[in-house]
Amino acid sequence: MLDVQSRAYHAQHGRNFTSVVPTNVYGPHDNFNLEDGHVLPGLMHKVYMAKKEGSPLTVWGTGKPLRQFIFSRDLAKLIIWVMREYEEADPIILSVGEEDEVTVKDAALAVAEAMNFKGEVIFDTTKSDGQTKKTASIVKLRRYLPNFKFTPMKEAMKYTCDWLEANYDTCRK
């Protein structure tokens, strides 16, 4: 509905209003809550707890669904660009490309690696996978910013995991 309102403000008042549509966000200062946090921060919290308790890491579902993840610092840069340069009323999707989609399994294993978790990883197939694929097209974003370089996921994930471990006692969880 925000995009409808943005178009109406633009038509009625000649002002540039828009909305951004990010995909799965992760990064320092995120919500690492296991109940209502984003996918990767939730997995990071689960890995932290499994490592601390010496227990297996349990991930819900088969791990097969595909997701696009965007590092919060990349998202922040893109939002600043939108505020300064983007002049359309239509929303813009801010995400890594489809070529950077990863399975939930690969994401969970990457978090385990970033946090040096050596325990067992179990995929609980009695739990739902959720939607198999949630691909968001970034054709419009690439039209405007063809050379934008996203932080490599492994680097961003390591940075975020290190931040979580250093700030666990005071982070949002």
Side-chain angles (χ1 to χ4, degrees):
M1 286 305 289
L2 188 55
D3 57 319
V4 173
Q5 185 175 12
S6 295
R7 282 191 215 102
Y9 281 154
H10 181 74
Q12 185 173 359
H13 302 289
R15 300 281 187 204
N16 287 330
F17 288 91
T18 194
S19 56
V20 297
V21 183
T23 54
N24 297 284
V25 183
Y26 68 99
H29 305 280
D30 207 324
N31 177 6
F32 294 88
N33 188 288
L34 296 174
E35 299 298 319
D36 63 5
H38 293 118
V39 176
L40 282 181
L43 283 171
M44 290 172 187
H45 190 173
K46 280 185 164 190
V47 171
Y48 180 90
M49 296 303 295
K51 186 176 172 182
K52 182 179 175 182
E53 296 166 0
S55 61
L57 167 64
T58 302
V59 180
W60 285 15
T62 64
K64 293 178 184 175
L66 291 165
R67 296 292 182 266
Q68 290 164 286
F69 297 102
I70 186 168
F71 185 44
S72 59
R73 290 187 175 185
D74 293 336
L75 179 60
K77 290 174 191 175
L78 290 169
I79 289 172
I80 290 168
W81 168 80
V82 167
M83 290 188 302
R84 291 180 177 162
E85 307 290 331
Y86 185 72
E87 296 188 0
E88 289 187 40
D90 289 330
I92 187 164
I93 294 171
L94 303 179
S95 174
V96 298
E98 186 174 356
E99 68 278 4
D100 292 317
E101 276 184 314
V102 295
T103 64
V104 170
K105 178 181 181 179
D106 288 342
L109 295 176
V111 169
E113 180 182 329
M115 296 184 83
N116 200 30
F117 176 73
K118 303 295 186 196
E120 181 182 11
V121 179
I122 299 167
F123 290 87
D124 183 354
T125 58
T126 66
K127 305 291 187 196
S128 172
D129 270 337
Q131 192 171 333
T132 305
K133 191 171 166 71
K134 291 184 175 182
T135 306
S137 171
I138 64 162
V139 170
K140 183 191 283 190
L141 177 63
R142 283 298 183 207
R143 190 170 61 240
Y144 281 101
L145 297 173
N147 298 318
F148 185 84
K149 300 285 186 227
F150 289 94
T151 306
M153 187 173 182
K154 191 171 186 174
E155 177 185 325
M157 193 176 293
K158 177 69 174 143
Y159 184 87
T160 306
C161 290
D162 288 350
W163 184 92
L164 172 62
E165 289 181 313
N167 296 279
Y168 185 80
D169 290 338
T170 57
C171 76
R172 200 166 35 143
K173 58 185 176 311

